[in-house]
Amino acid sequence: MTLREAAPRPQRPAPRVGRTDVVKRLVLGRKLRSAQMHETLLPKRIALPVFASDPLSSVAYSPDEIFLTLSLAGIAAYTYSWKIGLAIAFVMIVVVLSYRQNVQAYQSGGGDYEVAKTNLGGTSGLTVASALLVDYVLTVAVSISSAAQYAATTFAPLREHQVLVAVAAVVFLTSMNLRGVRESGKAFAVPTYVFMAAILGMSALGFAQLLAGTLGDAPSAGLELRPEEHFVDGFTGAAAAFLLLRAFASGCATLTGVEAIANGVPAFRKPKGRNAATTLLLLGGVATTMALSIVTLANVTNVKIAEDPAKQLIGPDGAPVGPDYHQDPVVGQLARTIFDDFAPGFFVVTVATGLILLLAANTAFNGFPVLASVLAKDEYMPRQMTTRGDRLAFSNGVLLLALFSIVLIVAFDAEVTRLIQLYIVGVFVSFTMSQTGMVIHWTRRLRVEHEWAVRRRMQTARVINSVGLSVTGTVLVVVLITKFTHGAWIAILAMAVCFVVMKGIRRHYASVTLELAAEDVDQVLPTRVHAIVLVSKLHKPTLRALAFAKAARPSTLEAVTVANEQGDADRLLEEWDRAGIGVPLKVLHSPYRQMVRPVVDYTRAIQEASPRGVVAVYIPEYVLGHWWERLLHNQSAFRIKSRLLFLTGVTVTSVPYQLRSSSAAAERTEQADDAVW
Amino acid sequence: MTLREAAPRPQRPAPRVGRTDVVKRLVLGRKLRSAQMHETLLPKRIALPVFASDPLSSVAYSPDEIFLTLSLAGIAAYTYSWKIGLAIAFVMIVVVLSYRQNVQAYQSGGGDYEVAKTNLGGTSGLTVASALLVDYVLTVAVSISSAAQYAATTFAPLREHQVLVAVAAVVFLTSMNLRGVRESGKAFAVPTYVFMAAILGMSALGFAQLLAGTLGDAPSAGLELRPEEHFVDGFTGAAAAFLLLRAFASGCATLTGVEAIANGVPAFRKPKGRNAATTLLLLGGVATTMALSIVTLANVTNVKIAEDPAKQLIGPDGAPVGPDYHQDPVVGQLARTIFDDFAPGFFVVTVATGLILLLAANTAFNGFPVLASVLAKDEYMPRQMTTRGDRLAFSNGVLLLALFSIVLIVAFDAEVTRLIQLYIVGVFVSFTMSQTGMVIHWTRRLRVEHEWAVRRRMQTARVINSVGLSVTGTVLVVVLITKFTHGAWIAILAMAVCFVVMKGIRRHYASVTLELAAEDVDQVLPTRVHAIVLVSKLHKPTLRALAFAKAARPSTLEAVTVANEQGDADRLLEEWDRAGIGVPLKVLHSPYRQMVRPVVDYTRAIQEASPRGVVAVYIPEYVLGHWWERLLHNQSAFRIKSRLLFLTGVTVTSVPYQLRSSSAAAERTEQADDAVW
């Protein structure tokens, strides 16, 4: 018979709110019931800032990367920056159009992972997943490092402490995200709109000044740029072509973030696919406009930035500017130029850029835990990744992402240029495989679809995704070739490790499931129960354990004690007789003064004598309140228990006796019960 | 009925020797059975080196302390060093004679602690114990620091690394002592005799040279000594008297170690008391002879040592010698002078001195753990202090002493002069209280003793102990007054902390014993048993737990599962029905996604409904092999178990299911079973 009703909620006084709980509530806000899930879904006007921040924010550093890479060939190469910008804009348009197909076809939040898994099989899915996980970590590291750079541009005193600022920012984001996705969406909506207004406004003002002929020169316009040795003799040949490709590859950072929407579809309100597609189009347009405007304005204001400014930039006096020179990012320099002496304008732009970069990192904080939980459901990740915390966020994923990105930030000294070399590979792996998956998806659908209008739509979609595949595939090859030795190998290695670990986890779970699968024979009852009560002294806990063991009516019941010295054993036996306890007491002598092994050996011997029976070991334990009290008592009970668990056909029963001091500890434990953050 | 035979030793293959075990055997040697205890007792010729090293070794630094203190008043004060030496010799004779009474009257190894406790009551006993514990730690710190200083005198390259050398020495001694007392006695006998021969031989040679008129000047004889400001105008008045008392107090370090024998009586062969008394007399004579010889020779060879040599010592050029000057201890300077250019003589003296200081520290390693175990038997210390390790040493006491002395050495930079300020207070507290105890002891005995000859002996003994009391009491007052602000306050504070902690431990044990005392009512059986099997999935471990629970024939049996989502619960219920398990499955809904609290609340509700019954909770657990495997599985079982232990009337039974990978872990655990070192 099976009871289907919910268990009666036991009558308990309202739970006391302990110290841990107060802290947790302050950080996280009130608990949410699982049924409140729908309340955390995003309308479009909130979804745009949450997901748009990633692709939009890259204009804070991707134009810089184009110029930085070209700077190696000197000022002559700068003229190619327009063309590179246009190439990137083209790729962006293709990717956005392709992904509009993705988000409408797959809406579960599996994103590229799901597309690849469904259409290309598990291994491809796992490849995409590895690539995305690594890139989420890099998104946080790059965006936050760039944000710290903008913070230093705005407030000079922070220049020495960018790593610290970056780590603090990650910690802040972590706590926001443990509070749950919706709340962070609301908190972040305003700065996204401010950023869009600031950058687009600044660009418009810049172009107006250009037309009016009043546009000034950038602060770095007066510096000279010294090319690297290869390029002293001019910018030609294979080396030049390779450098252009590398600049293009670095600039493709502008495209990151598009995949975040694909993975975030479940967070949209219905109709999810349509809303996601619209959001995608909107932000593709905005991002392209911004990036192109910034590249153009940087060219006309003669911005000079270099990979190694201390040596490459030559001051008006003919000497390098040296290590004291702080190189402001392009957006910062444009703001100084366009707003000229109007300080508030400069501040709005740099602060808004810093904030949008925070939001970009936040996108990863939305995407990573969701992806991890999807992977955990497929048994590629530890089960704990599917646990939703008090505020319904996937807390463990959030914490894992925070950990890895802090490691990266510290390891790379929060330097954007070094981190960016690791970046993008993952995104383009994911783009390419997902587009391949979509082409196969449509091909399969077309095979069974007969209605003309639908077939027509599918064929169009397949063409779009095919173009997407060829473009993203080409870019992936370019990125791999140009960036491998500059750091991309680290990202690729990390992906490989991710892949292998996830395969291993899946294999482990599968083998455990197989090993544990229930069979009919498992329901056979043991033939007899031999109960052993472990005794150290004759006191209340012992008597209670004896009483409880008797209540289970075992086939045999005996008490067992371990004696280091004959005198101790004799005393206990005498006391035992005097108390008139109707259970025999067996003494295990331990000449080498061990506690655990005699018990384990004895238990095993009993069990092996009757293999189809069970040995039930009862351990009297007294429960103490304070950690220092525990120091004063031998911890043999715990050691014996954990050792006995390795024996087959043995059960271990703790019979607790609560000392008065334990009640305070019980309350503390009550609070810590389910400490999932 | 009570079985008195030893349990049959279960038939097991010879235990495999694992990695941990090999290391342990290499460090400790083969295990010893408890019955081998008598083999570790000491004959006199071994006892002398083991216990003599402490009082003998102090000649390595105590003459220095006399001169160092006097140096503050310039060379004029040096003339008092003879008189101070004689005063200390007088105190030594009194203390040795007094302690001959102690060791014959009290032989259990409780030493001063036992004397004070028996005659003056527990609080006095505890005061003595605190004083001794602190002084044992200081004995190690002072002796080892001094040994490091001699090592630096002998091998110049060690001069920069005295702290490291000292810490390494403590670690070495710790491992020796974990091997057991006898072995370390044997290993240390030779150097003690070498040291005695070296110092007495050197002194004899020195006096011969003095008579022959060939005794040269010490290396530092040519230096001038600049007095402190107070004493520039001469060595008179209260300041001078105070300085003399301080020099005397520091020189009294010569007396430390006498009490070590009193605490070490049980380690002597029978007749224990008589052997201990003889050893005491022997070493009292030797120590006094050595100390006086060294003070005399230092005077006639014009040794100059100063508390702050860099500033106080003036070279022949009229300038201070500066920080590069390494001040050799008196014994080192005498060896250089007397053996002149005969290097081997110098080396034998300094190396033997270094070694004897190691042995002195070793005395503390013998005394501290024994005292701690005696205190633990009286419940003033954690029970673990009575645990004898594989080699029958009180391992935990050894480790505790090592820990504290390393802390002191590091905190005081291994500087003997600074450490010595903390020293001696404890010894004289212990001397004084123990002599008071002995006076009371004889007075009590005299009250009931009627035989004339015995009364006569007792009266003599009482006179001796009374003289001992008045002398040691006076010295204690002098030590307290002259050293308090120089560092003795730290030692006194440490003793107070020791005292309070030990009182607290005793109170804790007493209250636990009282709370746990068995009463007849404790044997009453529970009225009914309500068994609950916790279920997460329907697999082998669950079925096994159900079978074992059934075998215990409870009054009620039900399975319970916690569901975060309705879907999960429905799936499990369906599976449950299909498997045809004849036990109802109850679903606890957990809207806040907790695992532990629903189970705890439900269990408590059941228990409270029938307070005289017992709720038996069965937890199916699968046992995994590797730590990383455990990361992949929720640890709810452990959290639920530890939480349920706080409920009254509840037993918790683990029903383990061993996965194949667990067998390797079982073997590892087998090795670590009783890891007492």
Side-chain angles (χ1 to χ4, degrees):
Chain A
M1 190 204 85
T2 304
L3 272 169
R4 289 194 175 270
E5 314 88 310
R9 289 292 292 173
Q11 302 296 311
R12 291 281 305 152
R16 296 172 207 80
V17 176
R19 228 176 331 162
T20 334
D21 216 46
V22 168
V23 175
K24 203 168 161 186
R25 289 287 81 80
L26 273 176
V27 178
L28 300 190
R30 74 192 155 75
K31 284 187 193 180
L32 293 179
R33 299 173 69 101
S34 302
Q36 288 171 294
M37 194 65 216
H38 69 274
E39 291 177 19
T40 65
L41 295 183
L42 303 174
K44 255 180 298 186
R45 67 169 198 291
I46 302 283
L48 186 70
V50 165
F51 291 110
S53 53
D54 189 0
L56 294 191
S57 71
S58 49
V59 301
Y61 51 81
S62 63
D64 298 58
E65 293 305 317
I66 300 175
F67 288 108
L68 284 178
T69 314
L70 291 177
S71 79
L72 294 174
I75 194 70
Y78 266 33
T79 47
Y80 289 92
S81 56
W82 308 66
K83 292 168 193 166
I84 291 173
L86 284 175
I88 291 168
F90 167 72
V91 177
M92 173 66 105
I93 291 163
V94 170
V95 168
V96 164
L97 292 178
S98 310
Y99 265 83
R100 282 170 56 84
Q101 309 304 321
N102 290 36
V103 294
Q104 300 202 54
Y106 292 91
Q107 308 188 350
S108 72
D112 293 342
Y113 165 64
E114 195 187 351
V115 175
K117 188 182 77 170
T118 314
N119 297 297
L120 304 171
T123 302
S124 301
L126 205 57
T127 309
V128 170
S130 311
L132 283 175
L133 289 175
V134 171
D135 252 43
Y136 276 129
V137 174
L138 279 161
T139 299
V140 175
V142 168
S143 305
I144 294 289
S145 299
S146 180
Q149 198 187 353
Y150 274 90
T153 295
T154 319
F155 308 105
L158 297 178
R159 282 179 195 181
E160 297 302 299
H161 312 288
Q162 292 190 30
V163 174
L164 198 68
V165 169
V167 171
V170 174
V171 171
F172 168 75
L173 281 182
T174 307
S175 84
M176 287 301 282
N177 277 283
L178 290 175
R179 295 184 68 100
V181 61
R182 184 159 184 241
E183 211 118 339
S184 53
K186 267 195 292 193
F188 290 173
V190 178
T192 305
Y193 287 115
V194 172
F195 171 77
M196 285 165 59
I199 296 288
L200 293 175
M202 180 183 78
S203 303
L205 184 59
F207 286 119
Q209 289 174 346
L210 182 63
L211 290 177
T214 60
L215 185 61
D217 260 356
S220 58
L223 301 172
E224 228 182 288
L225 195 57
R226 177 188 289 169
E228 249 197 352
E229 276 180 35
H230 317 294
F231 297 109
V232 177
D233 303 328
F235 186 59
T236 51
F242 190 79
L243 196 72
L244 286 179
L245 285 178
R246 224 184 106 199
F248 167 75
S250 288
C252 279
T254 316
L255 276 92
T256 60
V258 172
E259 82 293 352
I261 295 197
N263 298 324
V265 179
F268 279 88
R269 285 217 182 134
K270 288 180 183 170
K272 290 171 187 287
R274 203 197 169 84
N275 282 335
T278 311
T279 307
L280 203 50
L281 197 61
L282 261 172
L283 69 88
V286 175
T288 312
T289 311
M290 284 182 174
L292 285 178
S293 304
I294 289 168
V295 170
T296 309
L297 287 168
N299 268 295
V300 296
T301 58
N302 293 311
V303 167
K304 304 263 175 22
I305 59 172
E307 210 169 54
D308 186 0
K311 292 190 191 151
Q312 279 186 275
L313 292 180
I314 313 294
D317 55 350
V321 294
D324 287 342
Y325 179 77
H326 179 80
Q327 176 164 284
D328 284 342
V330 172
V331 170
Q333 297 204 25
L334 288 180
R336 276 193 215 278
T337 313
I338 293 169
F339 293 110
D340 204 5
D341 286 327
F342 182 62
F346 168 74
F347 277 111
V348 167
V349 170
T350 55
V351 170
T353 308
L355 286 178
I356 197 88
L357 285 163
L358 270 183
L359 302 207
N362 190 58
T363 318
F365 272 102
N366 286 317
F368 184 99
V370 172
L371 178 56
S373 83
V374 170
L375 287 167
K377 267 185 207 133
D378 285 353
E379 306 204 317
Y380 283 121
M381 279 248 185
R383 222 157 266 169
Q384 289 89 323
M385 291 293 162
T386 61
T387 315
R388 285 182 187 271
D390 283 0
R391 301 283 295 180
L392 294 168
F394 293 110
S395 321
N396 292 318
V398 169
L399 293 171
L400 207 64
L401 174 62
L403 177 73
F404 282 124
S405 53
I406 287 177
V407 167
L408 264 185
I409 288 171
V410 172
F412 285 84
D413 267 341
E415 284 181 30
V416 179
T417 326
R418 286 168 64 202
L419 283 165
I420 212 116
Q421 307 303 326
L422 282 64
Y423 202 25
I424 319 179
V425 183
V427 176
F428 275 91
V429 167
S430 162
F431 281 169
T432 309
M433 299 207 78
S434 137
Q435 293 311 315
T436 314
M438 286 305 290
V439 172
I440 294 176
H441 168 79
W442 296 126
T443 309
R444 280 189 192 154
R445 292 280 307 270
L446 279 166
R447 239 178 255 147
V448 293
E449 183 60 61
H450 297 294
E451 208 186 319
W452 188 82
V454 178
R455 283 187 65 86
R456 184 70 190 268
R457 252 203 327 272
M458 287 182 177
Q459 275 158 343
T460 314
R462 184 164 65 169
V463 171
I464 294 174
N465 286 126
S466 302
V467 174
L469 165 60
S470 56
V471 171
T472 54
T474 310
V475 176
L476 174 61
V477 172
V478 170
V479 168
L480 277 177
I481 292 173
T482 56
K483 298 188 130 200
F484 190 82
T485 54
H486 288 89
W489 66 271
I490 300 175
I492 292 166
L493 184 67
M495 287 171 206
V497 170
C498 236
F499 184 90
V500 171
V501 167
M502 291 199 289
K503 273 269 185 199
I505 291 175
R506 164 91 153 210
R507 198 173 317 118
H508 169 79
Y509 280 131
S511 81
V512 168
T513 305
L514 199 67
E515 209 175 331
L516 295 184
E519 294 167 51
D520 282 343
V521 67
D522 297 322
Q523 295 199 41
V524 175
L525 293 196
T527 49
R528 62 194 307 279
V529 178
H530 185 116
I532 294 175
V533 178
L534 296 186
V535 173
S536 62
K537 284 187 187 164
L538 184 56
H539 51 21
K540 274 191 200 299
T542 301
L543 293 179
R544 181 176 287 186
L546 281 166
F548 285 5
K550 271 184 206 159
R553 281 168 292 170
S555 328
T556 318
L557 172 61
E558 61 177 349
V560 162
T561 188
V562 178
N564 288 342
E565 281 170 42
Q566 190 58 50
D568 297 346
D570 290 343
R571 260 190 304 282
L572 184 60
L573 284 165
E574 202 177 298
E575 228 185 317
W576 198 261
D577 279 347
R578 219 178 320 115
I581 295 159
V583 175
L585 174 63
K586 200 161 255 171
V587 177
L588 304 181
H589 288 286
S590 174
Y592 293 107
R593 299 166 303 285
Q594 296 168 310
M595 282 300 295
V596 180
R597 194 172 295 183
V599 173
V600 171
D601 287 347
Y602 182 72
T603 309
R604 180 161 31 202
I606 299 281
Q607 206 282 325
E608 285 172 1
S610 128
R612 286 190 301 151
V614 57
V615 184
V617 181
Y618 287 80
I619 304 184
E621 285 182 53
Y622 41 98
V623 182
L624 295 152
H626 306 282
W627 63 267
W628 56 263
E629 289 182 331
R630 272 165 235 153
L631 285 186
L632 298 178
H633 298 268
N634 286 327
Q635 300 298 306
S636 330
F638 180 75
R639 287 193 290 144
I640 290 175
K641 270 199 285 185
S642 49
R643 186 61 197 88
L644 286 175
L645 291 184
F646 286 105
L647 300 184
T648 45
V650 170
T651 68
V652 185
T653 304
S654 301
V655 185
Y657 183 93
Q658 294 80 15
L659 284 164
R660 278 188 293 273
S661 70
S662 72
S663 62
E667 266 180 49
R668 279 198 302 280
T669 320
E670 185 101 28
Q671 302 308 333
D673 257 351
D674 287 270
V676 178
W677 277 61
Chain B
M1 191 204 80
T2 304
L3 270 170
R4 288 195 174 270
E5 314 89 310
R9 290 290 293 171
Q11 301 296 312
R12 291 281 303 154
R16 294 170 209 83
V17 177
R19 227 177 333 162
T20 334
D21 217 45
V22 168
V23 175
K24 202 169 162 187
R25 288 288 81 78
L26 273 176
V27 179
L28 300 190
R30 75 193 152 79
K31 282 187 195 182
L32 293 179
R33 299 173 69 102
S34 303
Q36 288 171 294
M37 194 65 214
H38 70 276
E39 292 176 20
T40 65
L41 295 184
L42 303 175
K44 255 179 299 184
R45 65 169 201 291
I46 301 283
L48 186 72
V50 165
F51 292 111
S53 54
D54 189 359
L56 295 191
S57 70
S58 49
V59 302
Y61 50 84
S62 63
D64 299 57
E65 293 306 317
I66 300 175
F67 289 108
L68 285 177
T69 314
L70 292 176
S71 79
L72 295 173
I75 194 71
Y78 265 33
T79 48
Y80 289 92
S81 57
W82 307 63
K83 291 167 193 167
I84 291 173
L86 285 175
I88 292 167
F90 167 72
V91 178
M92 172 67 104
I93 290 162
V94 170
V95 168
V96 164
L97 293 179
S98 310
Y99 264 83
R100 281 169 56 82
Q101 310 304 322
N102 290 38
V103 294
Q104 300 202 54
Y106 291 91
Q107 308 188 349
S108 73
D112 294 341
Y113 165 65
E114 194 187 352
V115 175
K117 187 183 77 171
T118 313
N119 297 296
L120 304 173
T123 301
S124 301
L126 204 57
T127 309
V128 170
S130 310
L132 284 175
L133 290 175
V134 171
D135 251 44
Y136 276 129
V137 174
L138 279 161
T139 298
V140 175
V142 168
S143 304
I144 294 289
S145 298
S146 181
Q149 199 188 351
Y150 274 90
T153 294
T154 319
F155 309 104
L158 298 178
R159 282 178 196 180
E160 297 301 301
H161 312 289
Q162 292 189 29
V163 174
L164 198 67
V165 170
V167 171
V170 173
V171 171
F172 168 74
L173 281 181
T174 307
S175 85
M176 288 300 285
N177 276 281
L178 291 174
R179 293 183 70 98
V181 61
R182 184 162 185 241
E183 211 120 340
S184 51
K186 267 194 293 190
F188 290 174
V190 178
T192 305
Y193 288 114
V194 172
F195 171 77
M196 284 164 62
I199 296 288
L200 293 175
M202 179 184 77
S203 302
L205 185 59
F207 286 119
Q209 289 174 345
L210 181 63
L211 291 177
T214 59
L215 185 61
D217 260 356
S220 58
L223 300 173
E224 229 183 288
L225 196 56
R226 178 187 288 170
E228 247 199 350
E229 275 180 35
H230 316 294
F231 296 108
V232 176
D233 302 328
F235 186 58
T236 52
F242 190 80
L243 196 71
L244 287 179
L245 286 178
R246 224 185 107 200
F248 166 76
S250 287
C252 279
T254 317
L255 276 91
T256 58
V258 172
E259 83 292 352
I261 295 198
N263 298 324
V265 180
F268 279 88
R269 284 218 181 135
K270 285 177 184 173
K272 289 171 188 288
R274 204 195 169 84
N275 282 335
T278 311
T279 308
L280 202 51
L281 197 62
L282 262 172
L283 70 89
V286 175
T288 311
T289 311
M290 284 182 174
L292 284 179
S293 306
I294 289 169
V295 170
T296 310
L297 287 168
N299 268 294
V300 296
T301 58
N302 294 310
V303 167
K304 304 265 180 10
I305 60 171
E307 211 169 54
D308 186 359
K311 292 191 192 150
Q312 278 185 275
L313 292 180
I314 313 293
D317 55 350
V321 295
D324 286 342
Y325 178 78
H326 178 81
Q327 176 164 284
D328 283 342
V330 173
V331 170
Q333 297 205 24
L334 288 180
R336 277 194 214 277
T337 313
I338 293 169
F339 294 110
D340 205 3
D341 285 328
F342 183 61
F346 168 75
F347 277 112
V348 168
V349 170
T350 54
V351 170
T353 309
L355 287 178
I356 196 89
L357 285 162
L358 270 183
L359 302 206
N362 190 58
T363 318
F365 272 101
N366 286 317
F368 184 99
V370 172
L371 178 57
S373 82
V374 170
L375 287 167
K377 267 184 206 135
D378 286 353
E379 306 204 317
Y380 283 121
M381 279 248 183
R383 222 156 266 170
Q384 288 89 324
M385 291 293 161
T386 62
T387 315
R388 285 182 187 272
D390 282 0
R391 301 284 294 179
L392 293 170
F394 293 112
S395 322
N396 292 317
V398 170
L399 293 171
L400 206 64
L401 174 62
L403 177 73
F404 281 125
S405 52
I406 286 177
V407 167
L408 265 185
I409 288 171
V410 172
F412 284 85
D413 267 342
E415 284 182 29
V416 178
T417 326
R418 287 169 63 202
L419 283 165
I420 212 116
Q421 307 303 327
L422 281 64
Y423 202 25
I424 319 179
V425 184
V427 176
F428 275 92
V429 166
S430 161
F431 281 169
T432 309
M433 299 208 79
S434 137
Q435 293 311 314
T436 314
M438 287 305 291
V439 172
I440 293 176
H441 168 79
W442 298 126
T443 308
R444 281 189 190 154
R445 293 279 307 269
L446 279 165
R447 240 178 253 148
V448 294
E449 183 62 61
H450 295 295
E451 208 187 319
W452 188 81
V454 179
R455 284 187 66 85
R456 185 69 190 268
R457 254 203 326 272
M458 287 183 177
Q459 273 159 345
T460 314
R462 184 164 64 169
V463 170
I464 294 173
N465 287 127
S466 301
V467 174
L469 166 60
S470 56
V471 171
T472 54
T474 310
V475 177
L476 175 60
V477 171
V478 170
V479 169
L480 278 177
I481 291 173
T482 56
K483 299 187 129 201
F484 191 80
T485 54
H486 288 89
W489 67 270
I490 300 175
I492 292 166
L493 185 67
M495 289 170 205
V497 169
C498 236
F499 185 90
V500 171
V501 168
M502 292 199 289
K503 274 268 185 201
I505 290 175
R506 164 92 152 209
R507 197 173 318 117
H508 169 78
Y509 279 132
S511 82
V512 168
T513 306
L514 198 69
E515 212 176 328
L516 295 184
E519 293 166 51
D520 283 343
V521 67
D522 296 322
Q523 295 199 38
V524 175
L525 294 195
T527 49
R528 62 193 307 280
V529 179
H530 185 116
I532 294 174
V533 179
L534 296 186
V535 174
S536 62
K537 283 185 187 165
L538 185 55
H539 50 22
K540 274 189 199 302
T542 301
L543 293 178
R544 180 177 288 188
L546 281 167
F548 287 5
K550 270 185 206 159
R553 282 168 290 169
S555 329
T556 319
L557 172 61
E558 61 177 350
V560 162
T561 190
V562 178
N564 288 342
E565 280 169 42
Q566 191 57 49
D568 297 346
D570 290 343
R571 260 190 304 282
L572 184 60
L573 284 166
E574 202 175 300
E575 227 183 319
W576 198 262
D577 279 346
R578 220 179 318 116
I581 296 159
V583 175
L585 174 63
K586 201 161 253 170
V587 177
L588 304 182
H589 287 285
S590 174
Y592 293 108
R593 301 164 304 285
Q594 297 168 311
M595 282 301 294
V596 180
R597 194 172 294 183
V599 172
V600 170
D601 287 347
Y602 181 73
T603 309
R604 181 160 33 204
I606 299 280
Q607 205 281 326
E608 284 171 0
S610 126
R612 286 190 301 153
V614 56
V615 183
V617 180
Y618 288 80
I619 304 183
E621 287 181 52
Y622 40 98
V623 182
L624 295 153
H626 306 282
W627 63 267
W628 57 263
E629 287 182 333
R630 273 167 235 151
L631 285 185
L632 297 178
H633 298 268
N634 286 326
Q635 299 299 307
S636 330
F638 179 76
R639 287 193 290 143
I640 291 175
K641 269 199 284 185
S642 49
R643 186 62 196 88
L644 285 174
L645 291 184
F646 286 106
L647 300 184
T648 44
V650 170
T651 67
V652 185
T653 303
S654 301
V655 184
Y657 184 92
Q658 294 80 16
L659 285 165
R660 276 188 294 272
S661 70
S662 73
S663 61
E667 267 180 48
R668 278 198 304 278
T669 320
E670 185 102 27
Q671 302 308 335
D673 257 352
D674 286 270
V676 178
W677 277 60

